Amino acid sequence: MSDIAEAILNFEESTPRVVADLGSSSFEIRHIRDDVKERYSDTEFNEAYKLIMANQVTGDDFKQLIEEARYKAQSLIFESVIVFVFPSDRYQAVFASFDYQEDFPAVQLVQQVTEPNSV
């Protein structure tokens, strides 16, 4: 398990829905809540993986546009789910999703995952 995935799973403020290590050509789910597992098929997980990785590739162009070399995390906030993508290496990342509420501690999660001494 990657260090990033482990840090996400050790985040005490909220239990993740899904945590997955994303590689350049495959992914490995490290954690999935039972209620989430029942809701999605392997085909849907594969499609989500392809979409996330396509976004990672185009994200390089965006980073250059705003003159940033690296980002700590990308987040997508939906009505009831918040998603984080933490880059680890070029075209590799860790995906994590959580149930979303307005008081979700997003900054604390990003700090715990990206700053080694924040725990």
Side-chain angles (χ1 to χ4, degrees), residues 19-67:
V19 176
D21 286 323
L22 309 177
S24 60
S25 62
S26 65
F27 69 97
E28 186 169 352
I29 295 176
R30 299 300 185 173
H31 166 83
I32 185 166
R33 272 191 350 216
D34 288 339
D35 62 317
V36 175
K37 186 176 187 177
E38 295 170 358
R39 210 177 297 172
Y40 299 100
S41 68
D42 289 342
T43 302
E44 289 169 314
F45 282 123
N46 283 320
E47 186 63 26
Y49 163 75
K50 291 175 188 174
L51 292 170
I52 291 166
M53 293 312 289
N55 188 46
Q56 288 293 102
V57 171
T58 59
D60 280 349
D61 294 336
F62 183 70
K63 290 184 292 189
Q64 290 175 350
L65 179 67
I66 62 170
E67 299 178 355

Side-chain angles (χ1 to χ4, degrees), residues 1-12 14-23 27-32 70 72 84-89 92-98 109-110 112-115 119:
M1 177 180 313
S2 70
D3 291 342
I4 295 172
E6 189 172 339
I8 293 166
L9 291 171
N10 289 331
F11 186 61
E12 295 179 2
S14 185
T15 301
R17 296 164 45 91
V18 177
V19 176
D21 286 323
L22 309 177
F27 69 97
E28 186 169 352
I29 295 176
R30 299 300 185 173
H31 166 83
I32 185 166
R70 181 171 165 93
K72 291 184 177 186
F84 294 90
V85 178
F86 296 93
S88 57
D89 287 319
Q92 294 183 348
V94 176
F95 170 93
S97 67
F98 294 84
L109 174 66
V110 171
Q112 177 169 319
V113 171
T114 62
E115 299 172 12
V119 182

Side-chain angles (χ1 to χ4, degrees), residues 69-81:
R70 181 171 165 93
Y71 62 91
K72 291 184 177 186
Q74 178 182 35
S75 63
L76 302 167
I77 301 173
F78 300 94
E79 188 173 317
S80 61
V81 176

